[in-house]
mmCIF file of all heavy atoms in Angstrom:
data_model
loop_
_atom_site.group_PDB
_atom_site.id
_atom_site.type_symbol
_atom_site.label_atom_id
_atom_site.label_comp_id
_atom_site.label_asym_id
_atom_site.label_seq_id
_atom_site.Cartn_x
_atom_site.Cartn_y
_atom_site.Cartn_z
ATOM 1 N N LYS A 1 -23.377 6.686 6.853
ATOM 2 C CA LYS A 1 -22.779 6.056 8.027
ATOM 3 C C LYS A 1 -23.030 4.556 8.025
ATOM 4 O O LYS A 1 -22.170 3.768 8.425
ATOM 5 C CB LYS A 1 -23.343 6.679 9.303
ATOM 6 C CG LYS A 1 -22.902 8.113 9.544
ATOM 7 C CD LYS A 1 -23.441 8.635 10.866
ATOM 8 C CE LYS A 1 -22.961 10.064 11.128
ATOM 9 N NZ LYS A 1 -23.492 10.587 12.422
ATOM 10 N N PHE A 2 -24.218 4.155 7.560
ATOM 11 C CA PHE A 2 -24.543 2.730 7.502
ATOM 12 C C PHE A 2 -23.653 2.021 6.483
ATOM 13 O O PHE A 2 -23.173 0.907 6.728
ATOM 14 C CB PHE A 2 -26.015 2.554 7.134
ATOM 15 C CG PHE A 2 -26.488 1.132 7.173
ATOM 16 C CD1 PHE A 2 -26.815 0.515 8.376
ATOM 17 C CD2 PHE A 2 -26.614 0.394 6.010
ATOM 18 C CE1 PHE A 2 -27.247 -0.789 8.418
ATOM 19 C CE2 PHE A 2 -27.046 -0.923 6.040
ATOM 20 C CZ PHE A 2 -27.367 -1.505 7.250
ATOM 21 N N LEU A 3 -23.414 2.660 5.338
ATOM 22 C CA LEU A 3 -22.532 2.081 4.329
ATOM 23 C C LEU A 3 -21.093 2.031 4.829
ATOM 24 O O LEU A 3 -20.350 1.093 4.535
ATOM 25 C CB LEU A 3 -22.607 2.904 3.041
ATOM 26 C CG LEU A 3 -23.935 2.827 2.274
ATOM 27 C CD1 LEU A 3 -23.939 3.832 1.135
ATOM 28 C CD2 LEU A 3 -24.179 1.425 1.745
ATOM 29 N N TYR A 4 -20.702 3.052 5.600
ATOM 30 C CA TYR A 4 -19.355 3.068 6.170
ATOM 31 C C TYR A 4 -19.159 1.902 7.141
ATOM 32 O O TYR A 4 -18.099 1.268 7.169
ATOM 33 C CB TYR A 4 -19.117 4.395 6.889
ATOM 34 C CG TYR A 4 -17.850 4.430 7.706
ATOM 35 C CD1 TYR A 4 -16.597 4.469 7.096
ATOM 36 C CD2 TYR A 4 -17.907 4.411 9.101
ATOM 37 C CE1 TYR A 4 -15.433 4.493 7.854
ATOM 38 C CE2 TYR A 4 -16.740 4.431 9.862
ATOM 39 C CZ TYR A 4 -15.515 4.480 9.231
ATOM 40 O OH TYR A 4 -14.369 4.491 9.982
ATOM 41 N N LYS A 5 -20.203 1.593 7.913
ATOM 42 C CA LYS A 5 -20.127 0.460 8.827
ATOM 43 C C LYS A 5 -19.935 -0.848 8.070
ATOM 44 O O LYS A 5 -19.320 -1.789 8.566
ATOM 45 C CB LYS A 5 -21.396 0.384 9.677
ATOM 46 C CG LYS A 5 -21.501 1.468 10.730
ATOM 47 C CD LYS A 5 -22.778 1.311 11.543
ATOM 48 C CE LYS A 5 -22.886 2.392 12.613
ATOM 49 N NZ LYS A 5 -24.138 2.240 13.403
ATOM 50 N N GLY A 6 -20.489 -0.922 6.860
ATOM 51 C CA GLY A 6 -20.330 -2.127 6.055
ATOM 52 C C GLY A 6 -18.919 -2.304 5.528
ATOM 53 O O GLY A 6 -18.500 -3.429 5.221
ATOM 54 N N ILE A 7 -18.167 -1.197 5.417
ATOM 55 C CA ILE A 7 -16.799 -1.272 4.927
ATOM 56 C C ILE A 7 -15.824 -1.599 6.049
ATOM 57 O O ILE A 7 -14.780 -2.227 5.829
ATOM 58 C CB ILE A 7 -16.409 0.061 4.246
ATOM 59 C CG1 ILE A 7 -17.339 0.326 3.063
ATOM 60 C CG2 ILE A 7 -14.963 0.041 3.771
ATOM 61 C CD1 ILE A 7 -17.114 1.678 2.421
ATOM 62 N N LYS A 8 -16.143 -1.197 7.284
ATOM 63 C CA LYS A 8 -15.229 -1.378 8.416
ATOM 64 C C LYS A 8 -14.750 -2.819 8.613
ATOM 65 O O LYS A 8 -13.559 -3.040 8.868
ATOM 66 C CB LYS A 8 -15.892 -0.871 9.697
ATOM 67 C CG LYS A 8 -15.935 0.648 9.798
ATOM 68 C CD LYS A 8 -16.689 1.096 11.043
ATOM 69 C CE LYS A 8 -15.962 0.706 12.309
ATOM 70 N NZ LYS A 8 -16.662 1.222 13.519
ATOM 71 N N PRO A 9 -15.636 -3.841 8.485
ATOM 72 C CA PRO A 9 -15.151 -5.217 8.713
ATOM 73 C C PRO A 9 -14.072 -5.681 7.737
ATOM 74 O O PRO A 9 -13.341 -6.616 8.033
ATOM 75 C CB PRO A 9 -16.429 -6.067 8.567
ATOM 76 C CG PRO A 9 -17.545 -5.137 8.864
ATOM 77 C CD PRO A 9 -17.105 -3.813 8.323
ATOM 78 N N VAL A 10 -13.988 -5.039 6.565
ATOM 79 C CA VAL A 10 -12.990 -5.470 5.568
ATOM 80 C C VAL A 10 -11.821 -4.495 5.488
ATOM 81 O O VAL A 10 -11.057 -4.525 4.524
ATOM 82 C CB VAL A 10 -13.649 -5.634 4.171
ATOM 83 C CG1 VAL A 10 -14.626 -6.778 4.175
ATOM 84 C CG2 VAL A 10 -14.334 -4.347 3.734
ATOM 85 N N PHE A 11 -11.687 -3.617 6.490
ATOM 86 C CA PHE A 11 -10.563 -2.686 6.499
ATOM 87 C C PHE A 11 -9.226 -3.420 6.493
ATOM 88 O O PHE A 11 -8.268 -2.981 5.854
ATOM 89 C CB PHE A 11 -10.642 -1.773 7.722
ATOM 90 C CG PHE A 11 -11.381 -0.485 7.457
ATOM 91 C CD1 PHE A 11 -11.805 0.314 8.508
ATOM 92 C CD2 PHE A 11 -11.644 -0.065 6.167
ATOM 93 C CE1 PHE A 11 -12.479 1.500 8.271
ATOM 94 C CE2 PHE A 11 -12.322 1.108 5.907
ATOM 95 C CZ PHE A 11 -12.743 1.895 6.965
ATOM 96 N N VAL A 12 -9.160 -4.542 7.225
ATOM 97 C CA VAL A 12 -7.908 -5.307 7.288
ATOM 98 C C VAL A 12 -7.530 -5.801 5.893
ATOM 99 O O VAL A 12 -6.357 -5.716 5.477
ATOM 100 C CB VAL A 12 -8.041 -6.493 8.259
ATOM 101 C CG1 VAL A 12 -6.776 -7.347 8.229
ATOM 102 C CG2 VAL A 12 -8.310 -6.007 9.674
ATOM 103 N N LEU A 13 -8.519 -6.318 5.151
ATOM 104 C CA LEU A 13 -8.264 -6.794 3.783
ATOM 105 C C LEU A 13 -7.833 -5.646 2.884
ATOM 106 O O LEU A 13 -6.908 -5.793 2.069
ATOM 107 C CB LEU A 13 -9.522 -7.456 3.226
ATOM 108 C CG LEU A 13 -9.472 -7.900 1.763
ATOM 109 C CD1 LEU A 13 -8.397 -8.956 1.566
ATOM 110 C CD2 LEU A 13 -10.826 -8.421 1.301
ATOM 111 N N ILE A 14 -8.484 -4.487 3.031
ATOM 112 C CA ILE A 14 -8.150 -3.326 2.204
ATOM 113 C C ILE A 14 -6.728 -2.856 2.499
ATOM 114 O O ILE A 14 -5.939 -2.572 1.579
ATOM 115 C CB ILE A 14 -9.166 -2.190 2.442
ATOM 116 C CG1 ILE A 14 -10.551 -2.608 1.931
ATOM 117 C CG2 ILE A 14 -8.711 -0.910 1.747
ATOM 118 C CD1 ILE A 14 -11.642 -1.601 2.243
ATOM 119 N N ILE A 15 -6.384 -2.769 3.779
ATOM 120 C CA ILE A 15 -5.038 -2.321 4.163
ATOM 121 C C ILE A 15 -3.973 -3.310 3.692
ATOM 122 O O ILE A 15 -2.916 -2.926 3.182
ATOM 123 C CB ILE A 15 -4.958 -2.134 5.689
ATOM 124 C CG1 ILE A 15 -5.864 -0.974 6.126
ATOM 125 C CG2 ILE A 15 -3.515 -1.863 6.129
ATOM 126 C CD1 ILE A 15 -5.983 -0.825 7.622
ATOM 127 N N PHE A 16 -4.265 -4.619 3.838
ATOM 128 C CA PHE A 16 -3.316 -5.646 3.389
ATOM 129 C C PHE A 16 -3.092 -5.542 1.875
ATOM 130 O O PHE A 16 -1.946 -5.621 1.402
ATOM 131 C CB PHE A 16 -3.853 -7.032 3.738
ATOM 132 C CG PHE A 16 -3.026 -8.163 3.192
ATOM 133 C CD1 PHE A 16 -1.821 -8.518 3.778
ATOM 134 C CD2 PHE A 16 -3.456 -8.871 2.072
ATOM 135 C CE1 PHE A 16 -1.056 -9.549 3.270
ATOM 136 C CE2 PHE A 16 -2.701 -9.899 1.551
ATOM 137 C CZ PHE A 16 -1.495 -10.248 2.150
ATOM 138 N N THR A 17 -4.168 -5.363 1.124
ATOM 139 C CA THR A 17 -4.060 -5.227 -0.331
ATOM 140 C C THR A 17 -3.258 -3.986 -0.706
ATOM 141 O O THR A 17 -2.424 -4.019 -1.627
ATOM 142 C CB THR A 17 -5.451 -5.147 -0.959
ATOM 143 O OG1 THR A 17 -6.219 -6.299 -0.588
ATOM 144 C CG2 THR A 17 -5.360 -5.084 -2.480
ATOM 145 N N ALA A 18 -3.492 -2.886 0.024
ATOM 146 C CA ALA A 18 -2.770 -1.644 -0.255
ATOM 147 C C ALA A 18 -1.272 -1.814 -0.011
ATOM 148 O O ALA A 18 -0.439 -1.428 -0.851
ATOM 149 C CB ALA A 18 -3.322 -0.519 0.613
ATOM 150 N N PHE A 19 -0.897 -2.406 1.139
ATOM 151 C CA PHE A 19 0.517 -2.602 1.448
ATOM 152 C C PHE A 19 1.164 -3.579 0.468
ATOM 153 O O PHE A 19 2.326 -3.404 0.078
ATOM 154 C CB PHE A 19 0.683 -3.106 2.883
ATOM 155 C CG PHE A 19 0.758 -2.011 3.895
ATOM 156 C CD1 PHE A 19 -0.354 -1.627 4.611
ATOM 157 C CD2 PHE A 19 1.960 -1.343 4.128
ATOM 158 C CE1 PHE A 19 -0.288 -0.598 5.536
ATOM 159 C CE2 PHE A 19 2.043 -0.317 5.055
ATOM 160 C CZ PHE A 19 0.911 0.058 5.756
ATOM 161 N N LEU A 20 0.440 -4.612 0.087
ATOM 162 C CA LEU A 20 0.978 -5.587 -0.862
ATOM 163 C C LEU A 20 1.302 -4.916 -2.189
ATOM 164 O O LEU A 20 2.385 -5.131 -2.760
ATOM 165 C CB LEU A 20 -0.033 -6.718 -1.067
ATOM 166 C CG LEU A 20 0.433 -7.908 -1.911
ATOM 167 C CD1 LEU A 20 1.583 -8.627 -1.230
ATOM 168 C CD2 LEU A 20 -0.719 -8.882 -2.153
ATOM 169 N N ASN A 21 0.383 -4.086 -2.679
ATOM 170 C CA ASN A 21 0.626 -3.376 -3.936
ATOM 171 C C ASN A 21 1.747 -2.350 -3.798
ATOM 172 O O ASN A 21 2.517 -2.129 -4.735
ATOM 173 C CB ASN A 21 -0.655 -2.671 -4.400
ATOM 174 C CG ASN A 21 -1.633 -3.621 -5.060
ATOM 175 O OD1 ASN A 21 -1.567 -3.872 -6.252
ATOM 176 N ND2 ASN A 21 -2.559 -4.160 -4.283
ATOM 177 N N MET A 22 1.848 -1.752 -2.623
ATOM 178 C CA MET A 22 2.871 -0.738 -2.400
ATOM 179 C C MET A 22 4.278 -1.323 -2.472
ATOM 180 O O MET A 22 5.193 -0.732 -3.052
ATOM 181 C CB MET A 22 2.652 -0.066 -1.034
ATOM 182 C CG MET A 22 3.587 1.107 -0.765
ATOM 183 S SD MET A 22 3.367 1.791 0.895
ATOM 184 C CE MET A 22 1.652 2.311 0.814
ATOM 185 N N PHE A 23 4.468 -2.523 -1.889
ATOM 186 C CA PHE A 23 5.799 -3.118 -1.835
ATOM 187 C C PHE A 23 6.128 -3.948 -3.077
ATOM 188 O O PHE A 23 7.300 -4.133 -3.398
ATOM 189 C CB PHE A 23 5.943 -3.987 -0.585
ATOM 190 C CG PHE A 23 6.010 -3.197 0.694
ATOM 191 C CD1 PHE A 23 4.982 -3.266 1.614
ATOM 192 C CD2 PHE A 23 7.087 -2.375 0.963
ATOM 193 C CE1 PHE A 23 5.029 -2.533 2.792
ATOM 194 C CE2 PHE A 23 7.150 -1.632 2.133
ATOM 195 C CZ PHE A 23 6.115 -1.712 3.056
ATOM 196 N N VAL A 24 5.104 -4.451 -3.746
ATOM 197 C CA VAL A 24 5.346 -5.318 -4.904
ATOM 198 C C VAL A 24 5.565 -4.511 -6.180
ATOM 199 O O VAL A 24 6.381 -4.869 -7.027
ATOM 200 C CB VAL A 24 4.170 -6.303 -5.085
ATOM 201 C CG1 VAL A 24 4.293 -7.047 -6.414
ATOM 202 C CG2 VAL A 24 4.142 -7.296 -3.937
ATOM 203 N N THR A 25 4.837 -3.406 -6.320
ATOM 204 C CA THR A 25 4.931 -2.598 -7.541
ATOM 205 C C THR A 25 6.295 -1.918 -7.628
ATOM 206 O O THR A 25 6.716 -1.215 -6.702
ATOM 207 C CB THR A 25 3.822 -1.534 -7.572
ATOM 208 O OG1 THR A 25 2.556 -2.169 -7.429
ATOM 209 C CG2 THR A 25 3.863 -0.770 -8.886
ATOM 210 N N LYS A 26 6.977 -2.133 -8.726
ATOM 211 C CA LYS A 26 8.301 -1.557 -8.935
ATOM 212 C C LYS A 26 8.212 -0.307 -9.803
ATOM 213 O O LYS A 26 7.258 -0.103 -10.542
ATOM 214 C CB LYS A 26 9.225 -2.582 -9.589
ATOM 215 C CG LYS A 26 9.392 -3.868 -8.780
ATOM 216 C CD LYS A 26 10.039 -3.610 -7.440
ATOM 217 C CE LYS A 26 10.228 -4.908 -6.655
ATOM 218 N NZ LYS A 26 10.834 -4.665 -5.320
ATOM 219 N N GLY A 27 9.232 0.524 -9.692
ATOM 220 C CA GLY A 27 9.311 1.736 -10.488
ATOM 221 C C GLY A 27 10.714 1.982 -10.978
ATOM 222 O O GLY A 27 11.544 1.066 -11.036
ATOM 223 N N THR A 28 10.989 3.218 -11.302
ATOM 224 C CA THR A 28 12.316 3.597 -11.783
ATOM 225 C C THR A 28 13.126 4.167 -10.618
ATOM 226 O O THR A 28 12.574 4.581 -9.601
ATOM 227 C CB THR A 28 12.187 4.662 -12.893
ATOM 228 O OG1 THR A 28 11.532 5.828 -12.363
ATOM 229 C CG2 THR A 28 11.372 4.117 -14.055
ATOM 230 N N PRO A 29 14.447 4.203 -10.742
ATOM 231 C CA PRO A 29 15.284 4.780 -9.665
ATOM 232 C C PRO A 29 14.905 6.225 -9.336
ATOM 233 O O PRO A 29 15.075 6.669 -8.199
ATOM 234 C CB PRO A 29 16.698 4.694 -10.244
ATOM 235 C CG PRO A 29 16.631 3.557 -11.216
ATOM 236 C CD PRO A 29 15.257 3.622 -11.814
ATOM 237 N N GLU A 30 14.400 6.954 -10.312
ATOM 238 C CA GLU A 30 14.028 8.353 -10.076
ATOM 239 C C GLU A 30 12.792 8.474 -9.196
ATOM 240 O O GLU A 30 12.579 9.505 -8.547
ATOM 241 C CB GLU A 30 13.769 9.069 -11.414
ATOM 242 C CG GLU A 30 15.006 9.252 -12.288
ATOM 243 C CD GLU A 30 15.398 7.976 -13.007
ATOM 244 O OE1 GLU A 30 14.558 7.051 -13.043
ATOM 245 O OE2 GLU A 30 16.537 7.905 -13.524
ATOM 246 N N THR A 31 11.957 7.445 -9.158
ATOM 247 C CA THR A 31 10.706 7.513 -8.381
ATOM 248 C C THR A 31 10.805 6.764 -7.056
ATOM 249 O O THR A 31 9.801 6.560 -6.388
ATOM 250 C CB THR A 31 9.535 6.918 -9.200
ATOM 251 O OG1 THR A 31 9.837 5.551 -9.535
ATOM 252 C CG2 THR A 31 9.296 7.719 -10.470
ATOM 253 N N LEU A 32 12.033 6.350 -6.677
ATOM 254 C CA LEU A 32 12.220 5.646 -5.407
ATOM 255 C C LEU A 32 11.999 6.610 -4.238
ATOM 256 O O LEU A 32 12.631 7.664 -4.156
ATOM 257 C CB LEU A 32 13.624 5.049 -5.340
ATOM 258 C CG LEU A 32 13.965 4.235 -4.081
ATOM 259 C CD1 LEU A 32 13.073 2.996 -3.983
ATOM 260 C CD2 LEU A 32 15.433 3.850 -4.073
ATOM 261 N N LEU A 33 11.087 6.229 -3.321
ATOM 262 C CA LEU A 33 10.760 7.073 -2.174
ATOM 263 C C LEU A 33 11.401 6.579 -0.890
ATOM 264 O O LEU A 33 11.927 7.366 -0.099
ATOM 265 C CB LEU A 33 9.231 7.146 -1.993
ATOM 266 C CG LEU A 33 8.430 7.716 -3.164
ATOM 267 C CD1 LEU A 33 6.940 7.641 -2.859
ATOM 268 C CD2 LEU A 33 8.843 9.154 -3.452
ATOM 269 N N VAL A 34 11.384 5.265 -0.657
ATOM 270 C CA VAL A 34 11.905 4.673 0.571
ATOM 271 C C VAL A 34 12.761 3.466 0.209
ATOM 272 O O VAL A 34 12.355 2.637 -0.600
ATOM 273 C CB VAL A 34 10.761 4.245 1.524
ATOM 274 C CG1 VAL A 34 11.331 3.589 2.780
ATOM 275 C CG2 VAL A 34 9.903 5.446 1.897
ATOM 276 N N ASP A 35 13.932 3.369 0.816
ATOM 277 C CA ASP A 35 14.814 2.221 0.596
ATOM 278 C C ASP A 35 15.393 1.800 1.945
ATOM 279 O O ASP A 35 16.424 2.308 2.390
ATOM 280 C CB ASP A 35 15.930 2.584 -0.382
ATOM 281 C CG ASP A 35 16.773 1.364 -0.763
ATOM 282 O OD1 ASP A 35 16.467 0.254 -0.265
ATOM 283 O OD2 ASP A 35 17.732 1.528 -1.528
ATOM 284 N N VAL A 36 14.694 0.901 2.623
ATOM 285 C CA VAL A 36 15.089 0.424 3.946
ATOM 286 C C VAL A 36 15.240 -1.092 3.899
ATOM 287 O O VAL A 36 14.256 -1.809 3.677
ATOM 288 C CB VAL A 36 14.060 0.821 5.023
ATOM 289 C CG1 VAL A 36 14.479 0.286 6.386
ATOM 290 C CG2 VAL A 36 13.885 2.331 5.064
ATOM 291 N N TRP A 37 16.450 -1.581 4.077
ATOM 292 C CA TRP A 37 16.755 -3.006 4.068
ATOM 293 C C TRP A 37 16.298 -3.615 2.744
ATOM 294 O O TRP A 37 16.801 -3.244 1.695
ATOM 295 C CB TRP A 37 16.122 -3.677 5.290
ATOM 296 C CG TRP A 37 16.595 -5.088 5.541
ATOM 297 C CD1 TRP A 37 17.844 -5.591 5.340
ATOM 298 C CD2 TRP A 37 15.796 -6.161 6.013
ATOM 299 N NE1 TRP A 37 17.887 -6.916 5.656
ATOM 300 C CE2 TRP A 37 16.646 -7.303 6.087
ATOM 301 C CE3 TRP A 37 14.480 -6.281 6.405
ATOM 302 C CZ2 TRP A 37 16.189 -8.540 6.511
ATOM 303 C CZ3 TRP A 37 14.014 -7.507 6.841
ATOM 304 C CH2 TRP A 37 14.861 -8.624 6.895
ATOM 305 N N ILE A 38 15.350 -4.567 2.794
ATOM 306 C CA ILE A 38 14.866 -5.189 1.549
ATOM 307 C C ILE A 38 13.591 -4.529 1.048
ATOM 308 O O ILE A 38 13.027 -4.946 0.026
ATOM 309 C CB ILE A 38 14.620 -6.705 1.760
ATOM 310 C CG1 ILE A 38 13.553 -6.923 2.839
ATOM 311 C CG2 ILE A 38 15.908 -7.420 2.081
ATOM 312 C CD1 ILE A 38 13.128 -8.374 2.977
ATOM 313 N N PHE A 39 13.150 -3.504 1.762
ATOM 314 C CA PHE A 39 11.894 -2.854 1.389
ATOM 315 C C PHE A 39 12.173 -1.599 0.570
ATOM 316 O O PHE A 39 12.911 -0.709 1.003
ATOM 317 C CB PHE A 39 11.082 -2.494 2.640
ATOM 318 C CG PHE A 39 10.724 -3.685 3.482
ATOM 319 C CD1 PHE A 39 11.389 -3.921 4.679
ATOM 320 C CD2 PHE A 39 9.745 -4.577 3.080
ATOM 321 C CE1 PHE A 39 11.069 -5.016 5.467
ATOM 322 C CE2 PHE A 39 9.416 -5.669 3.852
ATOM 323 C CZ PHE A 39 10.085 -5.897 5.042
ATOM 324 N N LYS A 40 11.559 -1.561 -0.587
ATOM 325 C CA LYS A 40 11.676 -0.401 -1.463
ATOM 326 C C LYS A 40 10.270 0.047 -1.879
ATOM 327 O O LYS A 40 9.478 -0.761 -2.353
ATOM 328 C CB LYS A 40 12.506 -0.737 -2.698
ATOM 329 C CG LYS A 40 13.974 -1.014 -2.400
ATOM 330 C CD LYS A 40 14.755 -1.255 -3.683
ATOM 331 C CE LYS A 40 16.232 -1.499 -3.371
ATOM 332 N NZ LYS A 40 17.025 -1.727 -4.603
ATOM 333 N N ILE A 41 10.008 1.311 -1.661
ATOM 334 C CA ILE A 41 8.702 1.861 -2.016
ATOM 335 C C ILE A 41 8.904 2.912 -3.100
ATOM 336 O O ILE A 41 9.667 3.869 -2.929
ATOM 337 C CB ILE A 41 8.008 2.497 -0.798
ATOM 338 C CG1 ILE A 41 7.795 1.452 0.301
ATOM 339 C CG2 ILE A 41 6.671 3.109 -1.204
ATOM 340 C CD1 ILE A 41 7.171 2.014 1.567
ATOM 341 N N TYR A 42 8.225 2.694 -4.207
ATOM 342 C CA TYR A 42 8.300 3.613 -5.327
ATOM 343 C C TYR A 42 7.031 4.452 -5.403
ATOM 344 O O TYR A 42 5.994 4.110 -4.819
ATOM 345 C CB TYR A 42 8.489 2.845 -6.641
ATOM 346 C CG TYR A 42 9.799 2.101 -6.729
ATOM 347 C CD1 TYR A 42 9.918 0.807 -6.221
ATOM 348 C CD2 TYR A 42 10.915 2.680 -7.328
ATOM 349 C CE1 TYR A 42 11.117 0.111 -6.304
ATOM 350 C CE2 TYR A 42 12.119 1.988 -7.425
ATOM 351 C CZ TYR A 42 12.204 0.704 -6.906
ATOM 352 O OH TYR A 42 13.389 0.027 -6.987
ATOM 353 N N GLN A 43 7.129 5.519 -6.136
ATOM 354 C CA GLN A 43 5.964 6.392 -6.340
ATOM 355 C C GLN A 43 4.843 5.616 -7.027
ATOM 356 O O GLN A 43 3.663 5.791 -6.707
ATOM 357 C CB GLN A 43 6.364 7.606 -7.174
ATOM 358 C CG GLN A 43 5.253 8.630 -7.355
ATOM 359 C CD GLN A 43 5.726 9.854 -8.119
ATOM 360 O OE1 GLN A 43 6.917 10.139 -8.143
ATOM 361 N NE2 GLN A 43 4.799 10.560 -8.728
ATOM 362 N N GLU A 44 5.226 4.745 -7.944
ATOM 363 C CA GLU A 44 4.220 3.926 -8.633
ATOM 364 C C GLU A 44 3.514 2.984 -7.657
ATOM 365 O O GLU A 44 2.327 2.694 -7.816
ATOM 366 C CB GLU A 44 4.884 3.104 -9.744
ATOM 367 C CG GLU A 44 5.380 3.932 -10.925
ATOM 368 C CD GLU A 44 6.773 4.506 -10.707
ATOM 369 O OE1 GLU A 44 7.276 4.404 -9.579
ATOM 370 O OE2 GLU A 44 7.346 5.041 -11.655
ATOM 371 N N GLY A 45 4.243 2.483 -6.640
ATOM 372 C CA GLY A 45 3.643 1.599 -5.650
ATOM 373 C C GLY A 45 2.604 2.303 -4.798
ATOM 374 O O GLY A 45 1.537 1.750 -4.502
ATOM 375 N N VAL A 46 2.920 3.543 -4.393
ATOM 376 C CA VAL A 46 1.964 4.333 -3.614
ATOM 377 C C VAL A 46 0.720 4.612 -4.442
ATOM 378 O O VAL A 46 -0.416 4.524 -3.959
ATOM 379 C CB VAL A 46 2.608 5.653 -3.142
ATOM 380 C CG1 VAL A 46 1.597 6.532 -2.412
ATOM 381 C CG2 VAL A 46 3.806 5.366 -2.239
ATOM 382 N N TYR A 47 0.948 4.957 -5.707
ATOM 383 C CA TYR A 47 -0.169 5.214 -6.627
ATOM 384 C C TYR A 47 -1.055 3.975 -6.753
ATOM 385 O O TYR A 47 -2.286 4.050 -6.651
ATOM 386 C CB TYR A 47 0.384 5.619 -7.992
ATOM 387 C CG TYR A 47 -0.670 5.890 -9.040
ATOM 388 C CD1 TYR A 47 -1.151 7.171 -9.261
ATOM 389 C CD2 TYR A 47 -1.180 4.843 -9.822
ATOM 390 C CE1 TYR A 47 -2.116 7.412 -10.230
ATOM 391 C CE2 TYR A 47 -2.141 5.087 -10.788
ATOM 392 C CZ TYR A 47 -2.613 6.372 -10.993
ATOM 393 O OH TYR A 47 -3.563 6.602 -11.946
#
């Protein structure tokens, strides 16, 4: 629990990094999961 408390202050950084990788990482048309406006999320991005 003490170690978990140490991670909580950087949750925003972790979430921002995760979303950045999710939207920036490209994949193939077969692995496209979401295609909304200019946002495309591929299976590779989630990974």
Side-chain angles (χ1 to χ4, degrees):
K1 291 183 178 180
F2 185 80
L3 291 172
Y4 170 71
K5 288 181 180 180
I7 299 174
K8 285 176 66 176
V10 293
F11 268 166
V12 175
L13 175 62
I14 294 175
I15 294 173
F16 174 76
T17 304
F19 273 97
L20 187 64
N21 281 273
M22 186 184 299
F23 289 112
V24 170
T25 305
K26 301 297 181 181
T28 60
E30 293 78 15
T31 59
L32 182 64
L33 300 177
V34 178
D35 187 1
V36 179
W37 192 36
I38 61 173
F39 300 105
K40 293 184 179 180
I41 300 177
Y42 295 87
Q43 184 177 337
E44 291 85 351
V46 176
Y47 179 93

